DNA sequence: AGCACGATTAACT
DNA sequence: GTTAATCGTGCTC
């Protein structure tokens, strides 16, 4: 076992597009529930939301109770609710006062498969965590984790270095679900995806049921 | 009033 | 196997 490295505050205190790109291949870890089981997954899809001028970003509404966390210091979890039933997990980036964050849209589950299978109601692995609300359901992420300091000891959600992915493994495109957002924000390629994580997975999976 | 979505269903190939 | 359409749900401003 090599030493595990947590992502530190300076990782998040950078331009949001760099953070969104570099989060691909990082490991999202959830602890503190599920009878002490650790859940984790490799991040395979992200989107960047940057500043009040980005009309796809919640911060366009200014500083409100909802967007407060995004205006705060980097390295914190911004968890919000939408569509009457879904939670979304974001990581705050850039210096305090500049509202920006990265939305986590996809994971490959690497620990806690049995817990995730139950939480996802026995659905196929393929659709466990392939959407921002699905991964929150799978990992038990909701408003209780809003504002969590990802860099603090004892955090219930945090990030670890895991895989280093070459540019050839990454693709970009427009963000999802901004149907009524004007250009250029609607089409700006601030979505980052791993084309296929499988070739990069070796000893990064533990726990039952992982091939 | 309007949503940064997901589950389900229906209609394809 | 895939894509397209529908709509529930409750928080936000």
């Amino acid at each position: 076992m090599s030493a595990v490295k947590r992502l530190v505050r300076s990782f998040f205190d950078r331009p949001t597009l760099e953070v969104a790109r570099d989060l691909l291949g990082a490991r999202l870890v959830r602890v503190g529930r599920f009878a002490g089981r650790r859940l984790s997954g490799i991040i395979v899809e992200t989107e960047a939301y940057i500043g009040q001028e980005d009309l796809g970003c919640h911060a366009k509404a200014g500083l409100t109770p909802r967007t407060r966390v995004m205006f705060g210091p980097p390295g914190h979890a911004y968890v919000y609710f939408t569509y009457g039933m879904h939670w979304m997990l974001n990581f705050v980036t850039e210096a305090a006062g500049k509202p920006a964050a990265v939305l986590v849209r996809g994971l490959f589950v690497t620990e806690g498969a049995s817990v995730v299978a139950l939480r996802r109601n026995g659905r196929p692995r393929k659709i466990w965590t392939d959407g921002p609300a699905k991964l929150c359901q799978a990992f038990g992420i909701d408003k209780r984790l809003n504002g969590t300091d990802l860099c603090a000891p004892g955090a219930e959600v945090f990030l670890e270095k895991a895989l280093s992915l070459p540019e050839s493994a990454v693709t970009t495109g427009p963000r999802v679900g901004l149907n009524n957002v004007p250009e250029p924000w609607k089409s700006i390629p601030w979505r980052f995806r791993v084309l296929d994580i499988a070739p990069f997975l070796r000893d990064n999976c533990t726990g039952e049921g992982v091939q």
Side-chain angles (χ1 to χ4, degrees):
Chain A
M1 280 283 282
S2 56
V4 173
K5 288 197 179 149
R6 284 269 289 269
L7 296 186
V8 295
R9 186 108 35 224
S10 57
F11 177 91
F12 300 97
D13 189 8
R14 291 188 297 151
T16 304
L17 294 176
E18 292 181 18
V19 179
R21 162 62 180 86
D22 291 347
L23 279 169
L24 298 178
R27 188 190 310 275
L28 173 69
V29 184
R30 171 70 162 114
V31 296
R33 277 184 73 182
F34 318 119
R37 292 287 303 277
R38 188 177 124 123
L39 311 184
S40 80
I42 302 293
I43 295 174
V44 297
E45 183 173 345
T46 61
E47 282 176 2
Y49 290 88
I50 313 175
Q52 294 193 62
E53 62 278 8
D54 173 5
L55 296 180
C57 180
H58 285 161
K60 70 185 177 194
L63 179 57
T64 68
R66 185 195 213 192
T67 60
R68 189 188 85 257
V69 174
M70 247 200 300
F71 281 81
H76 291 248
Y78 168 44
V79 181
Y80 70 83
F81 186 85
T82 192
Y83 288 107
M85 61 184 98
H86 301 307
W87 295 99
M88 306 277 154
L89 173 64
N90 302 253
F91 306 134
V92 177
T93 58
E94 315 219 25
K98 175 166 179 179
V102 175
L103 171 67
V104 186
R105 292 192 58 89
L107 293 178
F108 179 88
V109 174
T110 49
E111 292 173 89
S114 64
V115 172
V116 170
L118 281 171
R119 292 191 60 80
R120 294 290 294 134
N121 303 313
R123 290 183 174 81
R125 168 179 289 266
K126 184 181 166 73
I127 59 166
W128 276 354
T129 53
D130 62 337
K134 295 181 191 179
L135 87 237
C136 286
Q137 185 190 353
F139 276 29
I141 291 165
D142 60 28
K143 65 180 175 186
R144 289 171 296 187
L145 294 181
N146 189 36
T148 297
D149 184 352
L150 305 163
C151 308
E156 290 193 24
V157 58
F158 57 89
L159 291 144
E160 292 176 352
K161 288 187 186 176
L163 309 178
S164 184
L165 302 172
E167 290 306 316
S168 60
V170 175
T171 183
T172 63
R175 296 172 292 179
V176 173
L178 277 58
N179 297 324
N180 297 321
V181 172
E183 302 289 1
W185 311 111
K186 181 175 173 176
S187 299
I188 200 165
W190 286 356
R191 180 188 191 193
F192 299 82
R193 269 187 302 165
V194 180
L195 287 163
D196 181 12
I197 194 70
F200 301 97
L201 297 167
R202 286 279 185 273
D203 304 317
N204 297 289
C205 305
T206 60
E208 71 298 329
V210 180
Q211 54 218 352

